[in-house]
Amino acid sequence: MNSILYIFLPCKKVYPIGVTYLADFIHRRKPDVRQRILDLSLYPDTQRINAVRDAATEFKPDLVCFSWRDIQIFSPHEGDSSLEHAFNFYFASNPIKRIAASFAGVQQLYRYYSHIRAALSYPWLIAKEFPKSQIMIGGGAFTAFADQLILKLPEGTIGILGEGEDAILKVIEGQSLEKERYILREGKTIRKGQQGSPALLDALTVDLPYLTSIFPQHREYLGESIGVQSKRGCPYDCAFCLYPYIEGKRVRYRPPSMVVKDISQHYHQWGARRFWFTDAQFITGKEAYPQCIEILERILAEKLEIEWSGYIRTSLITPELAKLMVRSGVGDLEVAITSGSQVVLNDLHMGFKLERLYDGCRYLAEAGFKGKVILNYSLNSPKETEESLLQSVESYKMVASILGEERVFPLMFFLGIQPNTDLEARLLEEGYLSAGYNPLMLTPTSIRKLLYNPAPLNSFIAKACLRAWERKEGSRDPRKWTGSLSQTPKESGAYADQNLIRGIEGNSGRDALLSLEEILRSRRPALSPTPSVENPHVTSTG
Ligand code: B12
Ligand code: SF4
């Protein structure tokens, strides 16, 4: 095979780092293979089919690699209006609100299904109009829902779960995929492969001039946040998280010099100033300290004046790391505290102590951290009680007292149940989910289940959230959010997790927590949280 067309399936605009790494990897090993990257997110809906057809006609690819990043539309967090509609639909006492929410919900469901249908139509177009091209597909969303999606894709499509470098190389070379995590449908039979030893990342670095030449749309990302991966894998076991399933549990590091070379090339050649470490977890444990420290030291030594962010286990921040983080340009952070109760955290296997999380915040404050922190709470996790909910309110107050109230934005981020997680397995065992359920099939009943917020605490929590969201105009915080979540000034709506911005700009999470406290205390005035002694710690998130 001599030519590869990569097609990044549409999602909210975010730098398509996965396909850039794949193309770069193939180029280093097979410099004669022609490659092109097409990012469909940058086209309006109506022009995407033609963009695919034109690119395939012009480029005549032997292999078309579709990269499917996101499917999720019903995000389980309050930055997304779908959560608000869902809560109004299920819990609002005012019937008019319930009716309005049901209309909005139907529209959202329509958008959700149209998005999936449209994404599937592009591989079908290639299969019908360019039958000689082999089709491959991978990416985060594909990995999450491979069992369901492979049934909807043209027969013969090679699906790859997780990283794709070696698999694409093998297809190009006509080698067997038996040692790769592939999934393939032949008629009604599904065949799967197991990954042998995952690739080491010691030679992974981006040749930016080459990338620039095969990705003409890269200009759209000048001024945007650029993804950089410094390691793959996460050794933790957080019950709801899919990242170890996607990337593996074994942590593989890229040499810091190569990571910073990527940053430096983007800095000097594209003028990039904002970066996001796309690692499942930037600080995966004490073993990661030398790599993290060297990356930050090199950013400083090379005088790269950047702003960076990523998923950071705050509990693992040491005073030294905090200083380096601040000096090397750490921006706003998203911290998944999840709960203020150590019992709830332990039950979710989060693997951190709340006390260490608070320590990490203290070190950041002492180092002069001036960014903002989104504090993600997954209220009503298994083992939640009224007391533990109050402990979550206390934990917010604690972090706010360390970093300053004006810097801390709690966000209600309910547990979303994802396939292939411990949480899903547990809920299947308990009968909360039924075996064989389709995680992509959304109905009012399944949405209610998948946005995990079970009885009996659900109604207080929903009431507190709805109360806060109703009041949110009053609590609007006009300060701009920077870092990974920000948008370029001229192009509002351009950035990745723009949804979350709604949540923090209104700072409605704070109101939701305080309303919850009010509701719980008014029900049982005697309830006083015993601040859990061996309390908190932080984490990354998903
Ligand atoms: C970093 C990250 C973010 C960052 C991105 C920052 C940035 N500037 O890039 C932020 C925080 C902004 C973010 C936001 C969201 N994210 Co996110 N994110 C991730 C994360 C942790 C890493 C993605 C990444 O860049 N990896 C590094 C690159 C190199 O890997 P990659 O792109 O996956 O590509 C590799 C493989 O997938 C594969 N591959 C990719 N394409 C192809 C194609 C072929 C043919 C083959 C063979 C292989 C292949 O090979 C590549 C190289 O090895 C993943 C989870 C994970 N651990 O993968 C979630 C993940 C991709 N995100 C997810 C989601 C849902 C979102 C949001 C929609 C969440 C929300 N707000 O509701 C938003 C919106 C994103 C957007 N489009 O705007 C989901 C997607 C699955 C799903 N349920 O749909 C994931 C998988 C997390 C999860 N829930 O499990 N995210
Ligand atoms: S939540 Fe973060 S630390 Fe936990 S398993 Fe997922 S990526 Fe790892």
Side-chain angles (χ1 to χ4, degrees):
M1 289 190 181
N2 287 320
S3 48
I4 310 179
L5 174 63
Y6 299 88
I7 302 184
F8 190 58
L9 291 172
C11 62
K12 264 181 286 155
K13 186 182 174 193
V14 60
Y15 183 64
I17 172 179
V19 288
T20 68
Y21 279 17
L22 294 171
D24 191 80
F25 178 88
I26 296 298
H27 180 63
R28 281 173 195 282
R29 279 141 192 92
K30 298 273 165 198
D32 295 337
V33 170
R34 290 186 301 121
Q35 303 193 95
R36 171 84 61 87
I37 296 175
L38 175 70
D39 181 347
L40 285 184
S41 307
L42 302 175
Y43 288 89
D45 297 8
T46 50
Q47 292 174 23
R48 288 176 182 153
I49 274 280
N50 281 339
V52 172
R53 186 178 285 119
D54 292 350
T57 309
E58 191 203 322
F59 193 69
K60 301 189 180 40
D62 295 330
L63 178 62
V64 180
C65 286
F66 286 96
S67 182
W68 199 338
R69 190 196 190 282
D70 301 324
I71 281 187
Q72 189 184 53
I73 296 238
F74 272 79
S75 315
H77 59 73
E78 57 167 320
D80 189 324
S81 60
S82 54
L83 182 68
E84 189 172 341
H85 294 314
F87 270 31
N88 266 315
F89 179 68
Y90 299 123
F91 302 108
S93 40
N94 179 342
I96 298 179
K97 284 200 169 151
R98 291 180 102 140
I99 293 169
S102 66
F103 281 114
V106 168
Q107 272 175 345
Q108 268 158 343
L109 274 181
Y110 176 77
R111 273 211 304 277
Y112 168 81
Y113 284 117
S114 313
H115 169 79
I116 297 183
R117 222 182 7 254
L120 289 167
S121 72
Y122 310 119
W124 278 103
L125 180 144
I126 296 291
K128 283 196 187 120
E129 299 184 18
F130 305 88
K132 289 200 185 120
S133 302
Q134 170 66 51
I135 302 175
M136 285 184 88
I137 189 161
F142 180 77
T143 304
F145 303 109
D147 289 331
Q148 292 75 33
L149 293 175
I150 200 72
L151 302 174
K152 307 271 178 213
L153 285 157
E155 195 168 344
T157 300
I158 303 172
I160 296 291
L161 282 74
E163 61 202 330
E165 282 86 350
D166 286 346
I168 296 181
L169 187 62
K170 285 182 182 170
V171 168
I172 293 278
E173 291 176 337
Q175 289 186 40
S176 155
L177 284 177
E178 278 323 306
K179 294 248 162 64
E180 297 299 325
R181 281 173 87 188
Y182 76 86
I183 182 165
L184 190 69
R185 178 171 66 86
E186 284 166 347
K188 291 204 167 125
T189 316
I190 302 293
R191 284 205 289 129
K192 289 184 181 182
Q194 292 266 337
Q195 193 176 27
S197 46
L200 291 177
L201 307 182
D202 46 357
L204 197 65
T205 178
V206 172
D207 173 348
L208 201 60
Y210 171 70
L211 184 67
T212 306
S213 71
I214 63 161
F215 182 29
Q217 294 164 294
H218 76 274
R219 285 182 204 88
E220 299 284 337
Y221 290 98
L222 302 180
E224 297 284 332
S225 170
I226 300 293
V228 180
Q229 195 176 36
S230 83
K231 54 185 75 61
R232 280 185 195 167
C234 180
Y236 296 96
D237 224 0
C238 309
F240 51 82
C241 182
L242 197 62
Y243 295 9
Y245 174 78
I246 298 177
E247 298 188 14
K249 276 175 118 37
R250 191 173 131 211
V251 184
R252 291 159 289 144
Y253 302 92
R254 284 178 69 197
S257 57
M258 290 189 177
V259 175
V260 179
K261 194 171 162 205
D262 267 15
I263 297 179
S264 149
Q265 287 189 83
H266 284 94
Y267 183 92
H268 293 294
Q269 296 172 38
W270 287 9
R273 293 295 178 266
R274 288 186 300 125
F275 294 86
W276 178 280
F277 288 112
T278 60
D279 311 357
Q281 178 50 248
F282 183 62
I283 314 179
T284 35
K286 297 201 164 95
E287 317 71 53
Y289 285 160
Q291 190 227 25
C292 297
I293 289 174
E294 192 179 334
I295 290 174
L296 304 182
E297 280 174 342
R298 281 177 180 267
I299 291 175
L300 281 169
E302 294 202 18
K303 300 196 171 29
L304 300 169
E305 291 185 11
I306 62 170
E307 183 175 284
W308 64 268
S309 192
Y311 291 137
I312 310 266
R313 270 218 153 197
T314 326
S315 56
L316 286 167
I317 295 177
T318 60
E320 183 196 8
L321 259 171
K323 279 183 211 134
L324 270 173
M325 284 169 67
V326 171
R327 287 176 53 219
S328 61
V330 69
D332 300 329
L333 289 172
E334 208 182 316
V335 170
I337 186 168
T338 309
S339 169
S341 153
Q342 193 65 48
V343 173
V344 171
L345 293 176
N346 292 350
D347 183 65
L348 289 171
H349 307 151
M350 300 293 289
F352 72 83
K353 289 263 180 279
L354 278 164
E355 274 313 328
R356 298 288 82 74
L357 182 150
Y358 297 146
D359 285 346
C361 294
R362 270 186 209 107
Y363 300 144
L364 279 174
E366 283 159 17
F369 175 71
K370 291 279 179 284
K372 303 189 192 73
V373 167
I374 290 188
L375 209 51
N376 288 336
Y377 282 96
S378 298
L379 300 184
N380 213 359
S381 295
K383 294 265 186 283
E384 191 81 90
T385 59
E386 294 187 21
E387 283 80 0
S388 64
L389 285 173
L390 287 172
Q391 287 176 348
S392 287
V393 180
E394 291 308 309
S395 68
Y396 155 64
K397 292 180 184 167
M398 173 70 115
V399 176
S401 74
I402 298 171
L403 288 167
E405 205 175 293
E406 70 290 359
R407 273 187 224 303
V408 182
F409 297 81
L411 196 83
M412 301 306 119
F413 211 121
F414 289 87
L415 289 183
I417 302 166
Q418 305 198 77
N420 301 301
T421 56
D422 285 356
L423 181 64
E424 187 209 38
R426 200 192 293 183
L427 296 174
L428 279 166
E429 211 171 282
E430 288 170 6
Y432 176 92
L433 295 173
S434 21
Y437 85 103
N438 180 348
L440 288 178
M441 181 69 83
L442 295 186
T443 62
T445 322
S446 73
I447 294 170
R448 188 168 188 161
K449 285 201 163 178
L450 295 177
L451 294 174
Y452 188 76
N453 182 26
L457 297 173
N458 56 355
S459 53
F460 312 122
I461 295 174
K463 206 163 151 192
C465 289
L466 289 172
R467 203 187 268 183
W469 295 334
E470 269 159 29
R471 285 202 302 239
K472 71 189 156 212
E473 285 310 313
S475 65
R476 180 163 290 277
D477 182 329
R479 278 160 297 193
K480 280 264 171 285
W481 180 261
T482 64
S484 76
L485 307 174
S486 68
Q487 313 135 50
T488 47
K490 61 175 168 42
E491 239 186 308
S492 86
Y495 192 71
D497 228 349
Q498 206 229 334
N499 275 346
L500 289 186
I501 291 169
R502 270 184 83 233
I504 60 157
E505 282 189 344
N507 203 1
S508 48
R510 178 177 183 278
D511 277 5
L513 283 180
L514 298 182
S515 297
L516 185 62
E517 184 180 32
E518 220 175 89
I519 294 170
L520 291 173
R521 290 205 192 285
S522 66
R523 273 171 39 83
R524 294 170 57 186
L527 261 185
S528 65
T530 352
S532 33
V533 202
E534 359 113 42
N535 238 355
H537 143 61
V538 132
T539 183
S540 92
T541 166

